[in-house]
Amino acid sequence: MARQTPNALLWADRQLGRLTGLVAIVGALAITGLVGITLVAVIWRYALRDPIFGVSDLSMMTLIIVAGASVCYGARHGSHVSVNVISMAFGRRLTRFTDALMRLLAVIILALAAYALADKACGAERACLTNNLFIEHRPFYYFLSFTMGLFTAHMLLTLLIGLWHLDGEDPNEIGD
């Protein structure tokens, strides 16, 4: 008989899905903005023969938002690459433990990354500004930290759900 996932974990999963959806909207708006910036920059440079000052700064900062949103969205929807060799050789008996170990290690690494992005990425001792327009990096690092935090929460949730279903079918198990 399959065990049902506790309601608290299902509720947390729904809330995480909503937050990830909001981040995806921000990422979609950013990619649309990046396309617009690139289009305008190309027209200005080649049609009007007058490059726009600071367009590389705008592109770089917009790309940071796109990258953070895509990592977060990809984690939530299982879009990252995985290689499932252990289950082919040893079966589900071993992979239920290796999955739990890898998820735990991923939670630790992602939590450290989120902390480092928020705390150490751009200290007060040095100026973190773009070269041309002097856009401050700090809010972009905080956004990356937030998306890594969502990724951490997602991995923690999959770890807890996987541990709950340790003796049965893990709903978050990677398919073949």
Side-chain angles (χ1 to χ4, degrees), residues 11-95:
W11 178 84
D13 189 51
R14 280 192 306 275
Q15 302 313 311
L16 190 60
R18 288 184 179 125
L19 273 173
T20 305
L22 290 174
V23 169
I25 290 169
V26 170
L29 292 172
I31 196 79
T32 303
L34 186 60
V35 167
I37 289 168
T38 305
L39 182 65
V40 169
V42 167
I43 289 171
W44 238 258
R45 176 178 286 279
Y46 294 107
L48 303 176
R49 303 226 185 264
D50 187 21
I52 300 173
F53 177 75
V55 75
S56 62
D57 290 355
L58 292 174
S59 296
M60 181 175 57
M61 295 295 109
T62 307
L63 193 56
I64 289 172
I65 295 170
V66 171
S70 63
V71 165
C72 185
Y73 183 83
R76 178 72 184 161
H77 294 281
S79 300
H80 297 296
V81 175
S82 65
V83 179
N84 200 7
V85 176
I86 295 173
S87 68
M88 291 188 307
F90 299 103
R92 175 72 182 123
R93 265 185 129 161
L94 180 63
T95 58

